[in-house]
Each structure stands twice: as C-alpha cells, then as structure tokens.
Amino acid sequence: MSTKIYKNIADYLVAAEVEKREVLKVTAELKPDLTVEEAYLVQQELVRTKLEEGRRIVGPKMGLTSKAKMKQMGVEEPIYGYVFDYMLIHNGGKVPFHDLIHPKVEAEIVFLIGEDIEGPGITGAQVLAKTQAVLPALEIIDSRYENFNFTLPDVVADNASTSRVVFGTTLKSPEQFELDLVGATLSINGEIKDLGAGAAVLGHPANAIAMLANMLAKKGEKIRKGDVILSGALTGAVMLNVGDYVSGKFDGLGEVTFTVIE
Ligand code: 0L1
Ligand code: MG
C-alpha cells in the first residue's frame, strides 16, 4: 500500500477531529483489511500533518493498558498515540463541549522523563530510574468514530482517541511512592463515578512506560528527556456532559479538576 493511502486515511480522521463530527470506522469503509502495523503508519501521517500545521508534541501516551479494556477489545498489547500542545487544558480550567464530539474522561498517572529511554528490553525499574517526576492527570478521550465503535487498527489510526489532557500542578519524585498502590477517585459533580489504583496499569504504571519504550524501539524511536507521558487509565472512562465539574483525586499526588462548558 502506498504512503498516499495512509495519508488519505489520516486526512479523513483529522477532518473529523477539526469538524467535530463522527465518522465511520476506517475498517468499515476506507480499508476493511487495515492491519495494526499499517494503522501505525496512518498515525505517523496524522502526526506529520499536525507537526506541519505547527503543532508541538508534548509526549507519547499509552492507551488500553488495563486488563478490562484489553479484554473488551480482544487485544494482548496496549497501544500508543501522541499528545499535542493544543490539547492541554490548565488545572481547574474549562473544556468547551462544542470543541469535541462525545468526550469521556479517565484518571491517569503521568511521567516526566529525565533521561532518554531507548528499548528494547527496558523494565519498569529502569523507567523509574530515568523519571524526573510523576504527576496526576485527567485525560479526555474523544474517538472520532461513531459511538466509539472501532477495532484495534481503527483506534491506533485515530491517535488512540487522544483529545484533551489536564495535568496536575504538583510534581513529585517517583521515589516517594509505590505507584502501583496509589489510589484515585474520579468524581463528577461531587459523585464518585469510578476509582482505581496504579496497579490497574499493567501491574505498575512504570511498566506501561517500559512497554512504550520497547514498542517505539521497533521503529527505531525512543522516549526522550522532557517527554511528558500519560501511562494509562487507573479508572474506566466516564462520559462527559455540559456543566460537569470533574475532579480526579490521587492519593499523595493531588487533585486535578476541570469544568465542561458549552
Ligand atoms: O487512552 C486510552 O486508553 C484510549 C484508548 C482508546 C480506547 C477508547 O477510545 O476507548
Ligand atoms: Mg488514556
């Protein structure tokens, strides 16, 4: 398949994001036999398009890191995508619903990387040794596909549903924590909608970052000093509505909040 076809699929997904409308999954219409490997080539085209538009990468992110989500998708391996600068909302800020399609929110632990991490063979312990700080975050995912209906290659091509991120403001050394034991609650309008612990992320969130380094190594890439990386959800993803006040409280790491406005 030529690069032109990957680019066409990437354009289809970028247009859906920019025009804030749902589209049929790629495997339903454009390319029913899209493989995961090809989907990463589509994602690469999507990333290239955004970089050409002047967007900046904040860092890669891991998705589908919980056993529950992997089982739901029938997959053995998590996926990755990229967070861009235009996706950032400040802690306590406002998220305009009209900018999005059908957003959901999930609570995650973020790694600020202090030294390059190059796979293969990276372990969670090696990741922790090269992590400058950890912080809490709320990730807003917003699949561009109708009713979040997609296969694994579809969601990889769609940049792992990445849409917005609210980072916490307090940075902590990873040595201060057993990150697998860190608990988090996700509340909307004062009601706890879901909760979880770091162990939900591949046993320990650092394992997700190690897996990312090993996946990137397959295409000759590495995690870079300064990358700010979402390691995957501690909680399920909860649907958002206009007027929602969303709060993620992380044991020892602090609170992250935002409000959904029209
Ligand atoms: O960050 C994530 O885990 C998103 C993965 C994509 C799956 C979804 O959109 O539900
Ligand atoms: Mg996520």
Side-chain angles (χ1 to χ4, degrees), residues 61-65 69 106-108 139-141 160 230-233:
K61 66 158 244 191
M62 285 297 270
L64 302 180
T65 46
K69 266 204 182 179
E106 50 192 29
E108 308 214 1
E139 183 189 16
I140 298 166
I141 53 172
L230 291 164
S231 58

Side-chain angles (χ1 to χ4, degrees), residues 216-256:
L216 290 177
K218 289 184 192 154
K219 54 176 195 182
E221 291 179 14
K222 61 183 176 183
I223 292 174
R224 293 174 187 280
K225 176 179 182 334
D227 278 347
V228 186
I229 307 178
L230 291 164
S231 58
L234 279 60
T235 63
V238 178
M239 213 77 201
L240 290 172
N241 293 293
V242 174
D244 284 349
Y245 174 75
V246 185
S247 160
K249 285 186 184 160
F250 297 71
D251 193 18
L253 286 174
E255 184 177 9
V256 185

Side-chain angles (χ1 to χ4, degrees), residues 71-84:
K71 192 169 170 212
Q72 184 194 337
M73 295 287 303
V75 300
E76 309 259 310
E77 202 175 50
I79 60 175
Y80 63 86
Y82 290 88
V83 174
F84 287 86

